[in-house]
Amino acid sequence: MTVLGKHAGQPRTAGEVAGDLEREYPERARDINTVRNTLERMVAKSRIERTKQKNTVLYTAVTESAPAADDAAAEASPTTETAGAEETEKVPAQAW
């Protein structure tokens, strides 16, 4: 995230990210496949975005507007929980 954050708004390939990591942390060995797998896990968690241009996959850090939407949803949740006793009882059943 730190490497992608330094290049905010600029898509980076896995190779570029691995190169940046190599320069920033020369004492740590890393494999391009490890970097690519880590980037893909971050995509799955919606921490970064992936785009394709022909045969090239590019990764970009997600902007800060996404957590704001999560905060708005979290603020809305407490009001629905206190709406009625029946709804409060149904919430644990839906979570399972």
Side-chain angles (χ1 to χ4, degrees):
M1 284 303 298
T2 303
V3 171
L4 289 175
K6 288 181 181 180
H7 304 283
Q10 298 177 357
R12 312 281 289 168
T13 64
E16 291 171 333
V17 172
D20 289 346
L21 288 170
E22 184 75 32
R23 284 186 289 283
E24 203 165 316
Y25 304 101
E27 70 281 358
R28 297 187 65 184
R30 67 204 40 78
D31 181 52
I32 185 68
N33 289 327
T34 303
V35 172
R36 188 176 296 117
N37 290 338
T38 302
L39 289 169
E40 288 298 324
R41 277 186 252 136
M42 292 168 69
V43 168
K45 293 179 180 181
S46 300
R47 304 226 19 221
I48 62 175
E49 294 176 343
R50 173 183 56 209
T51 56
K52 286 188 178 182
Q53 290 182 350
K54 296 187 181 183
N55 292 334
T56 305
V57 178
L58 301 169
Y59 300 93
T60 310
V62 173
T63 59
E64 292 299 320
S65 62
D70 291 341
D71 291 341
E75 290 176 8
S77 295
T79 57
T80 57
E81 289 178 9
T82 58
E86 289 182 32
E87 289 181 357
T88 305
E89 292 174 14
K90 290 180 184 177
V91 172
Q94 291 175 353
W96 292 98

